[in-house]
Amino acid sequence: MKRMEKRKPLLMKGLMIVLTLAFGMTSCNDDDEKKGTPYNPSLPVVIESFAPTEGMLSTQVIISGSNFGTDKENLHVFFNDKEAPIISSSGNKILVLAPKLPGKYVNGELDNNCQIRVVVGDKEATAKETFLYNVQTIVTTVVGGDKSATSYPLGGENLAEVQFNNKMERNLVIDSENNIYFIMDVGTSDPYSVYVINEASGKIRLLDSDLSSFLTTYFLAYDPVGDRCYRTATNIGFNETYYYDRFNDFAQTRSFTLSWVKDDGINDQPEIDGWNAFSCKHSMAYRPSDGCWYMRVDQGYFAKINPTTGQVTDISGRYDRRHDNHGSGFAGTDGECDGMAFDPTDDTKLYFSMTGLNAILLYDFETEILSVYAGSNTRQAGYLDGRCNEALFNSPRQIAIDNERNMYIADYDNNCIRKIVMETGYVSTLAGTPQKPGYTNGTGDIAQFDHPYGLVLSKDGAIYVGDSENRAIRRIAIE
């Protein structure tokens, strides 16, 4: 799939658009000062023209025609299927703002030529020409970015002053208030600390410190129903799970203790070989329809966790490599699962990344079938955009899916952020310079990352990335 290219109008064309817009706005405001022309239901709604003919988010567009009326409650303007905010209407001119991302996917390609449609009551009209929406993908730094830093935050500092003395190599969590949680190894004797930042407040807060590194590390997970960030250990034998209660000053609260003992009293804990037992759990996802957590454990196990009792059930099914089943293991026996996400429109579908397979996998709870959703079927690492079954990844990490079923992937060893339009099954590069690590802010095509690991989505569509080697949290805005 081709990367989106920004159109660069000639200077004269740009000046003409500005002059036309200014004249149109003046005319519209002058008309508003008069009585205006009310809507007549016996007459058709007519669009004669609009200006400018291209622009980005919140570009002011004036639509000229007739029988629009002056009642904004009875008037609606659409760019394709996205409704545009209306500033004013005089009856023969409407002043609107271009809505966010109104383009459509056609045969897997994003088409940003938008049909403008005016609806008044039960009548409507569509413009003959189309409006070209210019998408902007902008990468900035929220916090960190200095690889030479030797100190770590103690909490309470302004984000602009904060640097980190180690890599940002854990997954992220974001809640409904855009609080971003992450774990850092700060290099002390008990090195792991849990932080939360918020762009609006501009502050960082230390939630937990002095977490021991003896035989384990830690990871975070998000419960979208309770709107909580959870922490647990990667060691198969460390079973305490906590959450940070933002409704109670982010107090650390014990939630449940994992128990691998079945109802018949038999210990069903996975058999993890050697040192791998100390770091074999890396992510888990909450399923709203049944209120349970799910995780893929290293060396081929798939587990269901009841948060009320802490009971863990191995549901590897046909892939179970124990109990004389001779299965191949759930997603094989190699590699880590650092990202899991349920389809927000159908949580019978669970997607997860596998570093060892260089792929995104799909597990269907109804059919109990596991398949490669995107990437290589043969573990091939590489970089290639295109259809899901053609695309290549290189050690994908955390993933996230928005409500419009776009999947975003931190493609770790390709040093970029990938996007899958799930409706069409196309993979593209959203931001970063593929296979070229670096640290550059700017538009998506020139921005650089250095081994992006964590990735979460805010409720307003911003993407936050834990940029591991750059020791930073970056923000991607798509507008």
Side-chain angles (χ1 to χ4, degrees):
M1 181 177 179
K2 295 180 179 179
R3 301 281 300 273
M4 287 183 290
E5 297 182 356
K6 294 173 64 181
R7 289 182 58 168
K8 300 178 180 178
L10 296 174
L11 177 60
M12 183 59 69
K13 181 181 176 182
L15 289 173
M16 289 298 293
I17 289 174
V18 172
L19 290 173
T20 302
L21 178 58
F23 176 78
M25 290 175 63
T26 302
S27 299
C28 192
N29 290 335
D30 288 344
D31 286 341
D32 284 342
E33 291 174 2
K34 302 174 184 178
K35 184 176 181 181
T37 307
Y39 169 63
N40 186 339
S42 65
L43 297 176
V45 174
V46 177
I47 298 177
E48 295 175 353
S49 63
F50 61 86
T53 57
E54 66 177 276
M56 57 189 69
L57 175 65
S58 297
T59 294
Q60 293 184 330
V61 180
I62 294 180
I63 304 169
S64 300
S66 60
N67 204 29
F68 298 143
T70 57
D71 181 4
K72 291 195 293 183
E73 297 297 321
N74 194 43
L75 177 63
H76 302 275
V77 177
F78 298 88
F79 287 52
N80 287 335
D81 297 326
K82 293 288 184 73
E83 187 163 4
I86 297 173
I87 297 176
S88 62
S89 175
S90 65
N92 57 13
K93 292 184 186 295
I94 311 171
L95 178 60
V96 301
L97 301 179
K100 184 177 181 179
L101 302 175
K104 286 186 174 182
Y105 282 88
V106 180
N107 297 323
E109 294 284 346
L110 180 61
D111 184 357
N112 282 311
N113 290 288
C114 305
Q115 291 285 345
I116 293 183
R117 184 165 50 97
V118 174
V119 178
V120 190
D122 59 357
K123 296 183 183 297
E124 65 176 73
T126 302
K128 294 179 180 179
E129 304 297 327
T130 57
F131 177 88
L132 177 61
Y133 185 87
N134 294 318
V135 176
Q136 288 195 114
T137 302
I138 305 296
V139 179
T140 56
T141 297
V142 177
V143 64
D146 182 357
K147 290 184 177 182
S148 65
T150 57
S151 62
Y152 56 90
L154 301 177
E157 299 94 334
N158 294 323
L159 293 183
E161 303 168 350
V162 172
Q163 298 294 337
F164 302 101
N165 63 344
N166 213 335
K167 301 175 183 178
M168 189 74 62
E169 53 183 1
R170 296 288 185 278
N171 53 6
L172 306 179
V173 161
I174 190 168
D175 64 26
S176 66
E177 296 298 320
N178 289 343
N179 296 304
I180 303 169
Y181 306 76
F182 57 97
I183 295 176
M184 292 288 297
D185 177 351
V186 299
T188 58
S189 57
D190 291 319
Y192 291 106
S193 294
V194 182
Y195 294 98
V196 62
I197 64 171
N198 187 285
E199 273 199 287
S201 71
K203 296 286 187 178
I204 187 168
R205 178 168 178 169
L206 178 64
L207 299 184
D208 217 343
S209 61
D210 300 327
L211 296 176
S212 173
S213 61
F214 181 69
L215 302 180
T216 193
T217 58
Y218 305 87
F219 70 92
L220 303 177
Y222 179 59
D223 167 12
V225 175
D227 196 18
R228 291 169 172 164
C229 172
Y230 283 72
R231 172 180 63 79
T232 193
T234 60
N235 189 316
I236 192 65
F238 289 18
N239 296 313
E240 296 299 327
T241 304
Y242 302 85
Y243 65 86
Y244 299 98
D245 188 355
R246 70 178 181 84
F247 303 103
N248 186 25
D249 199 32
F250 295 96
Q252 176 183 274
T253 306
R254 178 172 293 185
S255 180
F256 54 86
T257 302
L258 301 180
S259 172
W260 296 88
V261 179
K262 299 195 295 187
D263 292 339
D264 57 11
I266 297 176
N267 189 333
D268 201 36
Q269 180 174 300
E271 302 163 357
I272 308 298
D273 298 332
W275 291 96
N276 292 322
F278 303 141
S279 183
C280 63
K281 301 177 294 180
H282 305 280
S283 63
M284 61 184 187
Y286 185 88
R287 187 183 183 195
S289 65
D290 65 11
C292 292
W293 292 94
Y294 292 82
M295 72 166 65
R296 191 265 184 188
V297 182
D298 285 3
Q299 300 189 357
Y301 303 96
F302 187 43
K304 174 182 179 179
I305 305 167
N306 183 328
T308 302
T309 64
Q311 178 69 48
V312 185
T313 306
D314 186 343
I315 56 171
S316 301
R318 71 185 72 186
Y319 307 100
D320 192 346
R321 54 194 293 257
R322 302 183 297 171
H323 311 136
D324 298 322
N325 290 320
H326 307 294
S328 59
F330 192 82
T333 59
D334 299 327
E336 298 178 1
C337 171
D338 292 302
M340 307 185 83
F342 280 97
D343 188 326
T345 64
D346 177 10
D347 73 1
T348 66
K349 306 293 191 298
L350 174 65
Y351 298 85
F352 59 97
S353 63
M354 285 296 299
T355 58
L357 302 183
N358 298 301
I360 309 301
L361 275 64
L362 165 62
Y363 180 71
D364 189 318
F365 280 79
E366 293 183 338
T367 64
E368 299 182 350
I369 291 177
L370 178 66
S371 60
V372 173
Y373 174 70
S376 173
N377 275 303
T378 61
R379 305 187 179 204
Q380 179 183 354
Y383 169 77
L384 184 66
D385 284 340
R387 294 186 180 277
C388 281
N389 61 355
E390 300 169 343
L392 294 177
F393 300 89
N394 195 347
S395 193
R397 300 288 180 164
Q398 194 169 7
I399 67 174
I401 305 173
D402 67 21
N403 290 329
E404 296 183 353
R405 302 189 72 244
N406 296 304
M407 181 187 296
Y408 301 93
I409 303 148
D411 197 353
Y412 186 76
D413 279 330
N414 276 327
N415 300 295
C416 59
I417 307 303
R418 311 290 288 279
K419 175 182 178 180
I420 302 177
V421 180
M422 300 173 72
E423 181 180 348
T424 64
Y426 264 75
V427 181
S428 62
T429 300
L430 177 70
T433 307
Q435 301 179 320
K436 294 181 179 179
Y439 180 53
T440 304
N441 287 323
T443 57
D445 55 339
I446 68 169
Q448 287 183 298
F449 298 88
D450 195 344
H451 294 84
Y453 195 117
L455 185 150
V456 289
L457 302 174
S458 71
K459 60 184 179 181
D460 60 0
I463 303 167
Y464 292 92
V465 177
D467 194 358
S468 177
E469 298 289 336
N470 283 323
R471 306 181 186 183
I473 293 180
R474 315 283 290 279
R475 184 182 194 271
I476 306 175
I478 309 171
E479 299 176 339

